[in-house]
Each structure stands twice: as structure tokens, then as C-alpha cells.
Amino acid sequence: MKKKILLSILLLACIFYIEVRAQGVQQLWGTAVDGGDHNFGTIISSSSTGSNLQLRQSFGYDNPGNNPGNSAMISYNNKMYGMTTWGGLNNWGVIFEWDIATNIYTKKIDLSAANGSNPYGSLVLYNNKMYGMTSSGGLNNEGVIFEWDPVTNIYTKKIDLSAANGSYPSGDLVLYNSKMYGMTVDGGLNTVGVIFEWDPATNIYTKKIDLSTANGSLPFGSLVVNNNKMYGMTKEGGLNSVGVIFEWDPATNIYTKKIDLSTANGSSPQGSLVVYNN
């Protein structure tokens, strides 16, 4: 069940955008999971209003890395960085660089079974290094947390995830108060996922919450911070067994189910909440 659920995300053709300012002109850039010359996904851009869509790069045989699942690119030093779920030397995914000025795609890291494979999330920038998670690979083949230095191109596996403390993550790390937080789809006391804290300074990983079928299980998205609390969604669990919206306080470690989702109003989410300040 674990791997089948994660692999099913690949069937969803999703597009994620970031806003880039190039010579005073705002643009939207992103990736698509499928499509392009080889149907392995693309890098695309448009104007700030979403018009004038352009295909910038097709993933595939000429540009190693396939299917950037749930991976939004991030901007750093006038270049963009992202991950693919498949492809590369080992066919376990890659970390790539895209130069906006020259339209040059560069594979930077070939992911591997030993050091982390099949990422279903995005990189996060902290202190000039990038951090992320993979859904599989590592010592237990249940995913890893890693650090990558874009200057030296050194990739370091930091944490091997496990069934006991949370396994098979499918989202992004979230930076809050110099620590990073995330969720896993599987593992933990009830084998339906956890919320965890990881300190990049000390490399200490702490399981904070064991999710449950009653209060929400199998989170495929990322946490979001609002007013010093974190919010998220689960795909299953809750009163109607089709997911919940929850609140978690990292200061008190109190988890509160806020909404039981339903088939009438929306069920089984596989994404993340967004904070909108009106």
C-alpha cells in the first residue's frame, strides 16, 4: 500500500509556479509532471498574468530527469533549482539547475537507492544550502532528509527515515525558527504517518505527532505556518474517512482536528494549504 499510494501521484499532471523578475518583467515559471517531447514533463513559463505560455525544456533522454512530481522550482542566484521523481543515471530522480538567462538545463545530482530516491516535493533554501526529502531510498528504503550545496555540488544524506519514526514523505520541509518540519505518509505508532521536527544545526530528528485514523492519516502535502501554528491536510482519516484539516502548535505540541472533510464538500486531498492575507 505504501509505495502504490506514492506512485499514484505520478499519474497527476500538476503545474507549480514561482514568480521571477527578469529585467523588470515579471514572469511565472514552473514544471509539469507529464507532457513535452517525450511525455516525461516540462519546464514552462508565462507572463505574470498567465498568458503567453512557453515550453522552455522537455525532460527526457537529452535532459536527464523525468517527471518532476509535486516539485516547485526555487530561485537562487538568478538560477532555478528543482527535482524530478524519476530519470537520471540510476532512474531514481535528479536535482537539476535551470539558467534563465541562457536557457541551459544542468543535471547536478543523480539520486540513488543508497542516498535517497524518488522525491515528491520541493527543495528549501536555508543558509545558502538546499534541503529536501525523498520518498524512498536510504538505509531502510523509506526515504531520507538530505542537504545539497549548490556551490560545491556536494550532496549529504542527513537522516534515514524509518517505520518507527515516520517513512515515505511526500511533501516539502518547512523552515520555522531555524528548524525544519515535515510529514510522512507512513510510519509512526499507527503506521499512517507522523509530523516531525528536524534541526539542521544538530541533525536531531524528533517525531512530534503520531497521526491516526480518527484524527487524520496519510498526509501527502506540506505544512504551512500561520500565526506561529502549523496547518495541513490528510488524505484519509477523520469522521468520514476521507481526510481532515488540522492545526498543530509546535510550541505546545498540541494537535487539533479542525475540519472533517466529506464527499459533498471535498475529500481525499493530496496537496497543501496556502496562507492568504487579505
Side-chain angles (χ1 to χ4, degrees), residues 65-88:
N66 304 341
N67 309 108
N70 285 16
S71 182
M73 294 188 294
I74 65 171
S75 178
Y76 176 68
N77 283 348
N78 298 316
K79 296 180 181 178
M80 288 188 284
Y81 298 87
M83 298 187 288
T84 68
T85 304
W86 300 98

Side-chain angles (χ1 to χ4, degrees), residues 178-200:
S178 300
K179 295 182 180 180
M180 296 191 189
Y181 297 85
M183 300 186 288
T184 69
V185 176
D186 211 305
L189 182 64
N190 304 306
T191 69
V192 292
V194 309
I195 298 173
F196 68 83
E197 172 190 273
W198 176 62
D199 189 332

Side-chain angles (χ1 to χ4, degrees), residues 205-227:
Y205 175 101
T206 307
K207 181 180 68 172
K208 304 298 289 186
I209 295 290
D210 285 291
L211 298 173
S212 68
T213 53
N215 288 325
S217 58
L218 308 185
F220 280 90
S222 308
L223 296 164
V224 62
V225 181
N226 187 42
N227 291 331

Side-chain angles (χ1 to χ4, degrees), residues 10 32-34 38-42 58-69 83-88 91-94 96 105 118-119:
L10 189 61
V33 178
D34 297 317
H38 311 291
N39 201 31
F40 288 149
T42 64
S58 291
F59 292 103
Y61 307 108
D62 299 327
N63 301 297
N66 304 341
N67 309 108
M83 298 187 288
T84 68
T85 304
W86 300 98
N91 200 29
W92 292 122
V94 307
F96 67 85
Y105 173 99
N118 302 124

